[in-house]
Amino acid sequence: GAVVSQHPSRVICKSGTSVKIECRSLDFQATTMFWYRQFPKQSLMLMATSNEGSKATYEQGVEKDKFLINHASLTLSTLTVTSAHPEDSSFYICSVMGGPGAIAGGTQYFGPGTRLTVL
Amino acid sequence: AQSVSQHNHHVILSEAASLELGCNYSYGGTVNLFWYVQYPGQHLQLLLKYFSGDPLVKGIKGFEAEFIKSKFSFNLRKPSVQWSDTAEYFCAVNAGHTDKLIFGTGTRLQVFP
């Protein structure tokens, strides 16, 4: 399957600061990337769909001004949590899916996740 | 709205026991179905997937799943589990017209030697 990396793996920040999380597709061009949030011992909740070169599509209830997504290239998407608060503490996971002909096809491959702790 | 149900929240087995994890979804149209596994401290990995064709799908590590359209189910099976299968298992579905994945709540499997 596709290889996906995320950076950083862990981040601790103070309340009110912004944090940027990177998601990279290492071995193929990902036209679509997804951002999920996973609470402890719970399932993954889709936050937004990120398409290269266009604005992200956010799920209902997800504040687009708080969770800024930029998909500037076919191998990189970033999620910026702006003015973070303790309730934003969570595990953020990205996934990639290639276009027709790409290795991933219609399957999503996941990154290792980023643990965000807001103090 | 689409939803995915995994009724077994926590399963405890001894090594060599057989495993079946239930997954039911609610959507009447064409679906793609997935099982992912998350080992402790690791990221989600694809176990197997069904897009079309033979409804009995074989995946990695001896896992298989059967798509039963009439029951809206995609249960995961393994004839003989190992201690290394201890992990969280997630069923996921996307409707044929969308790329979004809807995940079930997950099943925690513990296998004891």
Side-chain angles (χ1 to χ4, degrees):
Chain A
V3 181
V4 183
S5 71
Q6 280 185 242
H7 178 79
S9 57
R10 290 176 181 271
V11 57
I12 300 173
C13 68
K14 292 183 179 180
S15 186
T17 60
S18 294
V19 174
K20 180 185 283 188
I21 302 169
E22 293 185 348
C23 175
R24 292 184 184 273
S25 174
L26 299 182
D27 56 357
F28 80 103
Q29 295 181 330
T31 55
T32 305
M33 292 185 175
F34 301 86
W35 286 96
Y36 294 83
R37 187 169 175 177
Q38 186 180 28
F39 292 98
K41 299 184 179 181
Q42 293 189 32
S43 189
L44 282 76
M45 298 297 295
L46 179 64
M47 297 174 66
T49 303
S50 168
N51 291 296
E52 187 266 338
S54 63
K55 290 184 178 181
T57 304
Y58 291 82
E59 294 301 299
Q60 193 172 11
V62 178
E63 298 175 59
K64 63 180 181 180
D65 294 330
K66 181 169 188 60
F67 297 100
L68 301 178
I69 292 172
N70 185 356
H71 192 157
S73 76
L74 289 172
T75 59
L76 173 65
S77 176
T78 61
L79 168 68
T80 301
V81 183
T82 63
S83 186
H85 289 97
E87 57 266 29
D88 298 324
S89 298
S90 190
F91 196 53
Y92 292 88
I93 305 172
C94 73
S95 71
V96 304
M97 190 173 75
I103 296 174
T107 303
Q108 290 186 32
Y109 293 91
F110 289 81
T114 297
R115 172 78 59 196
L116 170 63
T117 303
V118 185
L119 302 176
Chain B
Q2 297 173 49
S3 65
V4 179
S5 299
Q6 290 182 245
H7 304 295
N8 314 105
H9 298 295
H10 190 188
V11 174
I12 302 173
L13 295 173
S14 299
E15 275 192 319
S18 63
L19 170 72
E20 180 160 2
L21 301 182
C23 173
N24 288 89
Y25 63 93
S26 65
Y27 182 72
T30 302
V31 291
N32 298 322
L33 301 153
F34 306 82
W35 274 98
Y36 286 90
V37 60
Q38 189 173 31
Y39 297 103
Q42 297 190 29
H43 64 281
L44 279 164
Q45 298 175 38
L46 181 67
L47 266 182
L48 48 78
K49 61 185 178 183
Y50 172 80
F51 283 6
S52 64
D54 189 344
L56 184 61
V57 179
K58 293 194 182 299
I60 61 172
K61 304 187 180 186
F63 286 91
E64 65 177 31
E66 184 175 13
F67 170 49
I68 303 179
K69 189 175 181 179
S70 61
K71 295 184 178 181
F72 299 89
S73 70
F74 190 54
N75 292 356
L76 181 71
R77 298 194 292 252
K78 185 170 183 177
S80 177
V81 295
Q82 300 173 314
W83 175 79
S84 57
D85 293 324
T86 294
E88 189 91 19
Y89 291 80
F90 293 95
C91 179
V93 175
N94 72 356
H97 66 280
T98 178
D99 296 326
K100 295 183 189 179
L101 273 181
I102 307 298
F103 279 85
T105 50
T107 297
R108 183 181 174 210
L109 172 65
Q110 280 184 294
V111 180
F112 289 96

